[in-house]
Amino acid sequence: MDAHTEDIKKHVRVYVTVFVALMFLTLVTVTVSYLHLSVGVAITVALTIAAIKASLVASYFMHLISEKKLIYATLILTAVFFVALMSLPLSHFLDPIQYHH
Amino acid sequence: MQIPYTETARADTGLFNGKLGIWLFLASEVMLFGALFSTYVLLRVGAPVWPHGYTILNVPLATVNTIVLITSSVTMVMSWASLMMKEFKKFRMYMGFTILLGLGFLTVKSLEYKAKFVHYGVTLHDGTEITGHLEEKADDHIVLLPDSQDGQQPTAMRIERSQIQRLSNFGPWYSTFLAIYFTLTGLHGLHVIGGIIVNSYLWTVGAKMWKTQPKRFTNRVEIAGLYWHFVDLVWIFLFPVLYLL
């Protein structure tokens, strides 16, 4: 039981570290937005920081980093479908009809 | 008749059933929010003009909300860790904080929404758009206090209704941007409400299970935590996409 509690205490240290990292990354992402970078660069930076934050939450708060294979498999399948879903609007550019605004 | 695999893992999956169940549910939620994010991309790419979020929305307030939600994720995982260390009182404390922070998030969100509904945009027949707050609304005219430009104190404007092509507050009907903003944050807000309800159940009535089946109760809190972290994850993407870009 004691080793088990020690194990959880180690996890708690990780949670606090991740929390500090998330706070820092939040401040970075807000500060960078005030620089008013060009749209393409702004989107890349904002989504990269968001992806890092999301990975931290998923890996450590949701314990994904030590999860079973079946969960990984489920999430990889989800990721494939998610990429397909996000790519659908890009088919707009394959349309030969010229859109005039 | 006991529900199987609520405490022990199944040999083939290596997990207790609830954990696989919640991850499958979260996978479906990824597709739900993904569909709306995909909608946002298509709308923005296809639009001739698109406002920067920070010209319409309150960034400092939303930053506070981001901090609130991330903190609630920490308190949520701490409430589970407390049960793992058999410290029920600490579980109560951390879960209480999680619920409180969730309510805090919703409070800020409702303040944001309210601000939108009292903010107006007037489009005149010549196409000029004036934004501000309504001081007076009569049959033949309105009096608008325009938004201050460059920190100058604005003076109220009387505008005849005959000059007005369109008068509307900043609800989801005002523009495509606000439509997708309210849809995305509204759906997210509903998910926050759902999470608060579940967490409140586990904090009160549901906590009785700690006395009879502590492991099963711990697993319930873990599963609720996975859902709550997901709600936080969605906001981590929503916030920069809507407010900062």
Side-chain angles (χ1 to χ4, degrees):
Chain A
M1 190 70 97
D2 243 35
H4 178 74
T5 312
E6 275 311 305
D7 207 35
I8 303 291
K9 285 217 170 95
K10 256 191 230 136
H11 279 217
V12 171
R13 276 195 281 275
V14 171
Y15 301 150
V16 176
T17 312
V18 169
F19 173 64
V20 172
L22 289 170
M23 290 296 111
F24 172 71
L25 287 168
T26 305
L27 291 172
V28 168
T29 204
V30 173
T31 310
V32 166
S33 79
Y34 281 96
L35 299 176
H36 293 173
L37 304 165
S38 71
V39 180
V41 177
I43 290 174
T44 311
V45 171
L47 287 182
T48 306
I49 296 175
I52 295 170
K53 288 166 81 179
S55 306
L56 286 172
V57 172
S59 303
Y60 297 104
F61 290 171
M62 298 170 94
H63 303 110
L64 255 187
I65 204 154
S66 50
E67 227 355 308
K68 296 285 183 301
K69 260 191 272 187
L70 181 58
I71 302 295
Y72 285 140
T74 309
L75 291 175
I76 287 167
L77 186 66
T78 311
V80 167
F81 278 100
F82 180 74
V83 168
L85 181 62
M86 295 306 288
S87 309
L88 273 171
L90 298 179
S91 60
H92 159 82
F93 294 106
L94 299 172
D95 199 324
I97 299 174
Q98 294 303 307
Y99 292 91
H100 296 286
H101 290 129
Chain B
M1 181 69 218
Q2 286 271 29
I3 299 173
Y5 303 113
T6 57
E7 300 184 17
T8 50
R10 270 178 71 121
D12 51 1
T13 64
L15 304 154
F16 63 90
N17 283 353
K19 191 181 266 195
L20 178 59
I22 197 76
W23 274 113
L24 287 171
F25 173 63
L26 293 181
S28 76
E29 292 271 80
V30 166
M31 300 311 287
L32 173 62
F33 281 99
L36 287 173
F37 271 104
S38 172
T39 303
Y40 168 86
V41 169
L42 187 58
L43 286 172
R44 182 164 184 171
V45 161
V49 290
W50 191 268
H52 291 291
Y54 48 79
T55 61
I56 298 185
L57 304 169
N58 190 329
V59 172
L61 214 53
T63 308
V64 166
N65 247 5
T66 307
I67 292 169
V68 164
L69 214 53
I70 291 174
T71 309
S72 77
S73 255
V74 179
T75 55
M76 183 82 209
V77 77
M78 286 305 297
S79 76
W80 169 79
S82 302
L83 286 179
M84 291 293 278
M85 296 193 279
K86 309 270 194 260
E87 295 180 44
F88 185 75
K89 283 213 176 75
K90 278 222 182 110
F91 153 77
R92 263 263 156 78
M93 178 187 78
Y94 281 118
M95 186 57 103
F97 275 130
T98 308
I99 294 165
L100 220 65
L101 288 165
L103 291 169
F105 179 89
L106 288 177
T107 306
V108 172
K109 204 83 218 106
S110 57
L111 290 173
E112 280 187 276
Y113 278 14
K114 180 164 178 247
K116 288 278 151 296
F117 288 118
V118 298
H119 199 181
Y120 281 80
V122 181
T123 310
L124 305 175
H125 287 297
D126 65 1
T128 35
E129 192 201 10
I130 314 160
T131 61
H133 292 82
L134 275 186
E135 300 220 312
E136 199 186 305
K137 214 176 183 185
D139 286 336
D140 61 338
H141 73 276
I142 61 162
V143 177
L144 186 82
L145 185 70
D147 294 325
S148 66
Q149 306 283 347
D150 313 314
Q152 304 278 349
Q153 185 81 311
T155 38
M157 296 170 72
R158 182 194 161 102
I159 308 169
E160 302 302 316
R161 288 231 188 230
S162 54
Q163 294 176 287
I164 298 172
Q165 187 184 67
R166 186 186 182 217
L167 169 69
S168 171
N169 63 5
F170 285 1
W173 38 78
Y174 189 81
S175 62
T176 312
F177 173 84
L178 282 166
I180 194 70
Y181 164 78
F182 274 105
T183 306
L184 272 166
T185 59
L187 185 64
H188 177 261
L190 286 174
H191 279 75
V192 172
I193 292 171
I196 291 172
I197 291 172
V198 169
N199 289 348
S200 300
Y201 169 78
L202 292 170
W203 194 52
T204 55
V205 177
K208 276 191 237 146
M209 193 184 264
W210 175 251
K211 296 221 178 74
T212 51
Q213 299 174 78
K215 183 78 176 79
R216 188 176 172 195
F217 182 67
T218 308
N219 287 348
R220 280 190 170 181
V221 173
E222 186 183 5
I223 292 169
L226 286 172
Y227 173 82
W228 190 253
H229 297 313
F230 179 77
V231 167
D232 182 24
L233 260 176
V234 171
W235 182 257
I236 281 172
F237 282 102
L238 265 186
F239 170 58
V241 165
L242 289 173
Y243 288 83
L244 305 180
L245 294 175

